[in-house]
Amino acid sequence: MSRNPARGVRKQAHPVREPTGTGVAELVKELWQAAVTLRGSIEPAEYKRFVLPLIFLRFLSLRHEHRRPGAFAVPRKARWSELLAHADEEDIKVRLDDALEALEEAYPERLRGLLPRLYAASNMDRHNVAQLLRLFSREVFIRGLGGEDLLGRVYEYFIGEFASSEGKRGGEYFTPASIVRLLVAMLEPMRGVVYDPCCGSGGMFVQSDLFAQHSRQLAFFGQESKEFTYRLCRMNLFIHGLDGDIRLGNTYFEDKHPTLKADYILSNPPFNDGSKGREGWGADKLSEEDPRLEIAGKRMPLASRNANPMWMMHFLHHLKEGGSAGFVMAAGELSNNHAGRLEVRSTLIESDFVDCVVQLSSQLFANTQIPCTLWFLSKARAGGRGGRKRQGELLFIDGRALGAMIPGSRKQRQLSDEDVERIASVYREFRSTGRPEEVPGFARVATLQEVRDHAYALTPGRYVGSADVEEAEDFEERLPRLTAQLEKELARAESLDERLRALVKDLLRGA
Amino acid sequence: MGRERRTVTLGELCEFRGGVAFPLRYQGRPRGDFPFIKVSDLSRPGNELFISRAEHWVDAETASALRARPVPASSIIFAKVGEAIRQNRKRLTTRPTLLDNNLMAAVPREGVEPRFLYYLLCTLDFEEQIEGSALPYLKASVLEQIEVELPALQEQRRIAEVLGTIDERIELARQLNRTLEALASKLFQAWFVEFYPVVAKSEGRQPLGMSEEVAALFPDELVMTEGDPLPQGWRWGTLGDVARQVRERTRPGGLEGSTPYIGLEHMPQRSITLAHWGTAAQVQSQKSRFRKGHVLFGKLRPYFHKVGIAPVEGVCSTDILVVEPFEESFFSFVLGHLSSVEFVSFANAGSDGTRMPRTSWERMARYPIALPDEPCVAAFDRLTRPLFDKLLANIEEGRTLLQLRELLLPWLLTGEAPAPAEADAP
């Protein structure tokens, strides 16, 4: 049941293409600029609490007015037209709170806890509130049937902007759209359970649904540790017409879907969680019997200062037989040699779960230069489900050269649809057709033995033959290697210099 | 005495072999049984004497399908077709190697010392042997006829030994400089971009590669400042806070002809080692003056990434910006930023002009950086200064050796050199 039958073409060349053109991107940006100027005295980090519920209200009203199938009846108090009519009155902030409350009362099941009263108690200027109401009343939202899609885009864009204006805290970053698209294009979620245990605002779900063309064959399960983000995610799913079982809680200690086995796991867990604080991420709080800490029957150690291996074990544990996980990781995890982290990595490799590793440019995230990699773990490497038997083979892709600067940005790059397709098509071929032909410097299938020979370092550059492998190495690996090299060269220089001195003596004697 | 020389043709000393066509679809493989060398490989860094790096490799099957017979190790290869002949570049192979059809190899015959043959060929100007006017090329049959003086084998070995020692030392100086650069830049990135010492300390570990006293200079916590993590107590600033542009213009007439001149053409890409320069006698227009130890930054088409340490005092093209730190102890810090990939892409993003974009100091000075406490920077400078000093010393030594080689080469090969002292004769 496609929400928009006009787009319901079954087989598209680029099924993950943006639903709308570039004119929309500019419009969305313009709306963001306008909304930012109305922030007034509200703290930047707080502003999203006031803006996003408005978009949500607007969205419900639009769907209601358009008589969309399954649209909720919106109580009179909460209707956009009603609010807009009173926009310039003294009590507009109270009216907004009442609207949110009325909605929640009308749909306690789905909306409980999503829409707290917050306008009246805030010091937000009521004129700014009125301006915001007008901003989202623009004609573009009404015209034709595109209004809801546009609003969905606006919502997503705003979430992204709010996330990046907040900066990075403890290695958590809003996943850039092009990386989400890439993950989805590689895993191709068509039917089954999609799971993201640190789902943020739910970008992986929305993109998966778009890929599956709103087929309703996907079930979404998520967990998020921050309350506001958790609410954001539920609203986001709602706006995109999706159902999902999203739960609030810390994934490390309270696994809220303990028995879930997923067909697809797509995730962007925090990078190197626990490495910057004094306490670590809390490994000591985990029970020794935690079932997640076992790979192929082997108990794994935990790195208390880095949660990366914990996330990988969590993913693997929740993967159904035949399922695949694709997730984002900091590049250091590819070759890190801390005992605990190396053991998890080498066990994943030896147990034949590592399917593919992709390295990407370091500038794809809005507020960090940290190089990023994608890992694919699979429990389908013996074949089946249209997949190929590929045990003992690992696909490496070095995509560092792909991507271009986002127009107007000096720091951030993005992958184009062509870049996404270039990477995804190699992986699809590897998974289903046969060993993709080697493309030097870009992609190559390596054997398990080769990976062993490289001491389980998964840096794609080593396997595809990139010129600058060292660039991706951790400082702690690179430094001893360089100093040893320098030592050797200096020793050679000494013995050569001796020969040179003898030569000079000879020449002088001869002269 | 073994001083007798006889006149022979090159054809008696070696076999000349041309390469084969190298279809595009076999190119670009990073490993295989044989390196497949093209003319461009002659100028790859690291290949100045021996061919030690190659862009393309093929396996034995492909080689036999292409009917390419590898030339053995210790062959001398050189350009066979095109303007490249005029550059007279000759290189030695170190392993069985395939050549494309623009290259030719001289494979030494039995009883000929390969390194001697290499130096002998180095004394010959192949430009004089060029055939064809539209497309210059060399013919094996012509090269075979060239007459040369051949000393006895023992003398051949002595000549090869003398020049070989010099060449190896030149080669090693280049390699050392590559290692020194890599080390300095890795240390800089770790300390001031990735804040590695701070991260290690926050994890309760002693940071690698520094003494406890130096580690004590770093804070042990990162704090979120303006949306980015910053070591506690440091602040955000710009490159302009720690460095300035040196603007000292010269007029062409006022320079001694022997003054070193550095143009963009002398600067290598992605390397701070500036080993080559010309003289002011070759230039006319207005130039910028620099002193030894200034940082030179190519502002024209910044993406070429031409940044280096001025190895001498001299003048440079006005398309090169001369930069110095406000404080002497900030030298390594400033150089670290200026030569980083991130900085070059920042400078490039703010360039004006499309075909020939140029950046400016005004733009570069706005580059945002984390400003550490002065003692951290000074400690970094103390640690890395010896690396840069060694790098500059290597440049100087390399140039001296090169001059020595150029002087000795014809002298030894024409037999004008005196016999080695009796005591050294076996």
Side-chain angles (χ1 to χ4, degrees):
Chain A
M1 264 217 301
S2 175
R3 223 165 9 102
N4 185 347
R7 278 197 287 116
V9 187
R10 290 309 302 178
K11 204 73 192 166
Q12 289 176 330
H14 295 287
V16 288
R17 196 177 276 284
E18 293 280 345
T20 30
T22 49
V24 173
E26 272 152 33
L27 176 66
V28 169
K29 215 178 269 183
E30 184 194 322
L31 284 165
W32 165 254
Q33 286 305 334
V36 165
T37 58
L38 295 172
R39 186 168 61 81
S41 56
I42 304 290
E43 286 292 309
E46 286 294 295
Y47 191 45
K48 59 177 185 283
R49 295 177 187 279
F50 302 97
V51 176
L52 295 172
L54 276 181
I55 301 181
F56 189 64
L57 276 174
R58 178 69 183 122
F59 184 80
L60 287 186
S61 281
L62 263 184
R63 274 178 71 82
H64 180 58
E65 284 163 26
H66 290 163
R67 311 242 172 272
R68 312 296 294 154
F72 295 101
V74 179
R76 166 166 286 277
K77 266 189 191 172
R79 282 190 201 153
W80 193 261
S81 49
E82 190 74 11
L83 290 165
L84 191 64
H86 297 93
D88 292 316
E89 283 167 29
E90 294 260 343
D91 62 348
I92 182 63
K93 281 161 54 173
V94 178
R95 278 175 187 273
L96 269 173
D97 280 344
D98 290 347
L100 295 175
E101 198 172 278
L103 257 183
E104 195 173 321
E105 271 166 24
Y107 303 99
E109 284 276 298
R110 316 193 111 212
L111 300 181
R112 181 167 316 150
L114 280 194
L115 306 165
R117 298 181 68 104
L118 45 71
Y119 292 96
S122 77
N123 57 356
M124 194 170 176
D125 187 85
R126 76 169 167 88
H127 300 287
N128 285 354
V129 175
Q131 291 293 326
L132 273 178
L133 279 166
R134 285 202 191 88
L135 189 64
F136 295 112
S137 303
R138 286 200 186 177
E139 229 175 72
V140 283
F141 293 113
I142 307 163
R143 204 182 300 143
L145 290 172
E148 293 152 42
D149 274 346
L150 175 60
L151 210 53
R153 280 285 297 269
V154 169
Y155 191 77
E156 252 174 90
Y157 184 85
F158 275 39
I159 292 173
E161 284 299 309
F162 280 126
S164 58
S165 64
E166 234 170 86
K168 43 186 159 176
R169 277 182 316 206
E172 285 175 45
Y173 308 102
F174 182 77
T175 321
S178 65
I179 292 187
V180 180
R181 284 210 307 275
L182 178 57
L183 276 174
V184 168
M186 289 180 78
L187 281 186
E188 302 185 288
M190 288 308 286
R191 65 180 62 81
V193 170
V194 177
Y195 173 50
D196 182 353
C198 46
C199 60
S201 51
M204 300 288 181
F205 303 134
V206 172
Q207 195 63 43
S208 295
D209 173 62
L210 186 65
F211 181 86
Q213 303 179 355
H214 317 296
S215 64
R216 299 199 169 270
Q217 307 256 349
L218 294 174
F220 302 108
F221 292 82
Q223 182 165 343
E224 167 58 40
S225 64
K226 285 196 201 56
E227 213 210 325
F228 180 76
T229 316
Y230 154 78
R231 280 193 270 137
L232 209 61
C233 178
R234 285 179 54 199
M235 284 192 249
N236 198 16
L237 291 185
F238 198 90
I239 276 187
H240 287 90
L242 301 175
D243 286 327
D245 184 350
I246 312 301
R247 302 195 184 174
L248 177 66
N250 180 307
T251 307
Y252 303 135
F253 317 122
E254 330 157 54
D255 187 349
K256 295 283 188 176
H257 297 288
T259 57
L260 180 75
K261 296 285 178 187
D263 298 273
Y264 308 99
I265 295 178
L266 294 102
S267 199
N268 175 19
F271 287 175
N272 305 320
D273 199 9
S275 66
K276 303 225 164 128
R278 249 176 241 285
E279 276 76 45
W281 57 273
D284 48 333
K285 285 190 245 169
L286 245 65
S287 145
E288 291 210 353
E289 274 81 57
D290 194 310
R292 295 173 296 176
L293 306 184
E294 206 175 277
I295 302 175
K298 218 173 132 194
R299 276 327 268 182
M300 287 293 120
L302 271 180
S304 61
R305 288 287 178 167
N306 197 306
N308 291 346
M310 178 65 216
W311 282 109
M312 293 198 266
M313 289 187 278
H314 183 91
F315 297 142
L316 190 73
H317 176 76
H318 286 284
L319 208 54
K320 189 185 279 181
E321 280 308 314
S324 295
F327 49 90
V328 187
M329 272 278 142
E333 207 53 43
L334 294 177
S335 54
N336 187 285
N337 283 337
H338 283 249
R341 290 162 71 185
L342 175 62
E343 187 167 344
V344 171
R345 186 173 75 241
S346 58
T347 311
L348 284 172
I349 295 167
E350 284 293 345
S351 319
D352 209 40
F353 290 121
V354 181
D355 206 26
C356 170
V357 176
V358 183
Q359 182 148 20
L360 296 171
S361 146
S362 61
Q363 294 172 306
L364 293 168
F365 280 77
N367 38 23
T368 174
Q369 293 283 308
I370 198 161
C372 123
T373 56
L374 305 182
W375 289 55
F376 293 84
L377 300 181
S378 175
K379 289 188 180 173
R381 286 168 55 81
R385 276 198 186 191
R388 179 177 77 90
K389 186 173 164 200
R390 52 190 188 278
Q391 283 141 322
E393 297 177 4
L394 291 90
L395 173 64
F396 290 95
I397 299 178
D398 186 348
R400 279 179 295 168
L402 300 186
M405 284 292 168
I406 293 176
S409 164
R410 299 212 166 98
K411 274 173 127 178
Q412 199 184 354
R413 289 151 78 95
Q414 66 184 359
L415 300 172
S416 67
D417 288 351
E418 288 69 31
D419 296 331
V420 167
E421 182 55 24
R422 188 159 172 225
I423 296 173
S425 63
V426 179
Y427 183 55
R428 282 200 300 265
E429 187 182 344
F430 173 69
R431 226 178 35 203
S432 42
T433 325
R435 288 175 77 135
E437 202 187 336
E438 171 181 355
V439 182
F442 176 65
R444 179 165 164 267
V445 177
T447 63
L448 179 56
Q449 188 54 46
E450 267 179 89
V451 179
R452 280 187 198 127
D453 295 344
H454 279 103
Y456 301 105
L458 292 176
T459 319
R462 289 190 186 287
Y463 301 94
V464 308
S466 305
D468 50 352
V469 175
E470 288 89 358
E471 214 177 81
E473 275 182 346
D474 258 10
F475 175 72
E476 289 184 350
E477 282 177 79
R478 182 76 176 130
L479 186 65
R481 218 194 292 265
L482 266 179
T483 46
Q485 185 182 337
L486 186 60
E487 235 174 1
K488 229 168 70 192
E489 286 167 8
L490 287 172
R492 242 189 84 209
E494 258 169 53
S495 79
L496 258 177
D497 284 348
E498 235 165 77
R499 276 165 65 196
L500 268 182
R501 268 187 217 104
L503 173 75
V504 169
K505 221 164 97 191
D506 252 15
L507 289 169
L508 283 174
R509 194 161 19 171
Chain B
M1 289 288 286
R3 302 285 295 147
E4 296 81 21
R5 288 170 178 252
R6 52 194 183 94
T7 302
V8 295
T9 60
L10 280 184
E12 292 172 65
L13 300 182
C14 60
E15 178 199 351
F16 287 100
R17 269 201 238 159
V20 299
F22 189 17
L24 211 55
R25 69 197 149 102
Y26 294 117
Q27 297 187 19
R29 279 163 210 282
R31 72 190 74 69
D33 300 320
F34 305 111
F36 209 128
I37 303 296
K38 305 178 25 148
V39 172
S40 56
D41 286 304
L42 302 186
S43 47
R44 281 175 89 77
N47 283 354
E48 289 87 354
L49 173 62
F50 296 107
I51 296 291
S52 60
R53 288 146 204 247
E55 195 167 356
H56 312 282
W57 292 72
V58 296
D59 51 32
E61 262 171 63
T62 311
S64 75
L66 292 172
R67 301 204 186 158
R69 190 154 63 101
V71 299
S74 298
S75 301
I76 296 98
I77 61 174
F78 49 89
K80 183 182 84 171
V81 182
E83 293 302 316
I85 299 168
R86 299 185 209 280
Q87 295 186 35
N88 268 309
R89 288 174 300 190
K90 281 132 192 147
R91 305 288 186 259
L92 275 160
T93 58
T94 55
R95 53 182 299 155
T97 301
L98 298 171
L99 311 177
D100 91 341
N101 49 7
N102 290 319
L103 286 170
M104 189 181 267
V107 183
R109 294 191 193 283
E110 279 281 319
V112 177
E113 169 62 34
R115 292 291 290 267
F116 169 77
L117 181 67
Y118 166 73
Y119 291 111
L120 179 67
L121 294 182
C122 281
T123 62
L124 300 177
D125 183 0
F126 280 2
E127 191 172 359
E128 292 168 7
Q129 312 300 332
I130 283 178
E131 310 261 329
S133 48
L135 181 66
Y137 62 93
L138 295 176
K139 255 166 113 171
S141 58
V142 174
L143 297 180
E144 280 164 6
Q145 300 309 314
I146 298 176
E147 289 189 343
V148 291
E149 297 274 301
L150 183 74
L153 187 60
Q154 196 186 335
E155 175 70 1
Q156 288 178 27
R157 291 198 177 127
R158 190 183 86 95
I159 292 172
E161 157 74 15
V162 170
L163 293 170
T165 306
I166 295 173
D167 269 347
E168 261 176 66
R169 190 63 185 85
I170 294 173
E171 180 62 32
L172 183 64
R174 288 193 193 106
Q175 177 51 43
L176 259 170
N177 279 356
R178 283 192 287 269
T179 308
L180 292 167
E181 279 194 39
L183 187 57
S185 109
K186 200 73 194 172
L187 284 168
F188 171 79
Q189 286 288 328
W191 286 34
F192 300 116
V193 181
E194 295 158 15
F195 311 134
Y196 159 77
V198 184
V199 172
K201 282 178 78 174
S202 79
E203 293 174 10
R205 290 185 289 125
Q206 167 73 19
L208 191 68
M210 55 173 65
S211 66
E212 279 181 34
E213 295 79 63
V214 172
L217 300 173
F218 285 84
D220 55 11
E221 213 60 70
L222 292 173
V223 289
M224 291 305 300
T225 317
E226 293 172 32
D228 281 303
L230 186 71
Q232 197 152 38
W234 293 17
R235 57 194 179 84
W236 292 113
T238 61
L239 187 68
D241 293 339
V242 292
R244 66 176 155 234
Q245 183 188 6
V246 180
R247 298 169 192 265
E248 235 186 290
R249 292 294 155 92
T250 66
R251 272 206 322 280
L255 285 173
E256 283 216 25
S258 61
T259 308
Y261 163 73
I262 295 184
L264 284 171
E265 68 275 21
H266 298 113
M267 297 179 75
Q269 291 185 32
R270 289 172 172 264
S271 166
I272 57 169
T273 306
L274 306 183
H276 306 283
W277 56 84
T279 62
Q282 304 158 294
V283 299
Q284 268 110 47
S285 54
Q286 198 190 41
K287 300 293 161 215
S288 302
R289 205 181 271 285
F290 61 80
R291 277 172 233 301
K292 186 174 175 176
H294 277 153
V295 183
L296 306 184
F297 186 96
K299 72 166 184 176
L300 175 70
R301 297 200 264 197
Y303 50 84
F304 278 136
H305 198 144
K306 294 187 169 184
V307 194
I309 312 173
V312 285
E313 181 173 339
V315 295
C316 61
S317 147
T318 50
D319 275 330
I320 296 172
L321 288 172
V322 184
V323 183
E324 68 176 1
F326 282 115
E327 300 289 336
E328 189 52 29
S329 59
F330 274 67
F331 168 76
S332 302
F333 180 77
V334 168
L335 176 65
H337 274 303
L338 281 169
S339 58
S340 72
V341 177
E342 291 81 10
F343 177 77
V344 169
S345 72
F346 173 86
N348 190 45
S351 305
D352 298 320
T354 46
R355 208 171 62 81
M356 300 283 260
R358 278 182 175 81
T359 188
S360 65
W361 174 248
E362 288 62 40
R363 161 83 187 158
M364 287 160 60
R366 288 200 302 273
Y367 183 61
I369 58 173
L371 284 177
D373 294 339
E374 199 272 339
C376 284
V377 177
F380 180 69
D381 203 62
R382 277 196 304 279
L383 182 74
T384 51
R385 204 51 95 93
L387 304 181
F388 299 125
D389 287 347
K390 179 71 182 157
L391 184 136
L392 293 179
N394 280 340
I395 293 176
E396 210 179 317
E397 190 183 354
R399 286 175 70 94
T400 308
L401 287 168
L402 215 53
Q403 286 174 18
L404 184 63
R405 179 194 195 269
E406 272 164 33
L407 189 70
L408 288 179
L409 185 64
W411 186 61
L412 286 170
L413 282 150
T414 50
E416 284 167 30
E422 288 299 324
D424 290 346

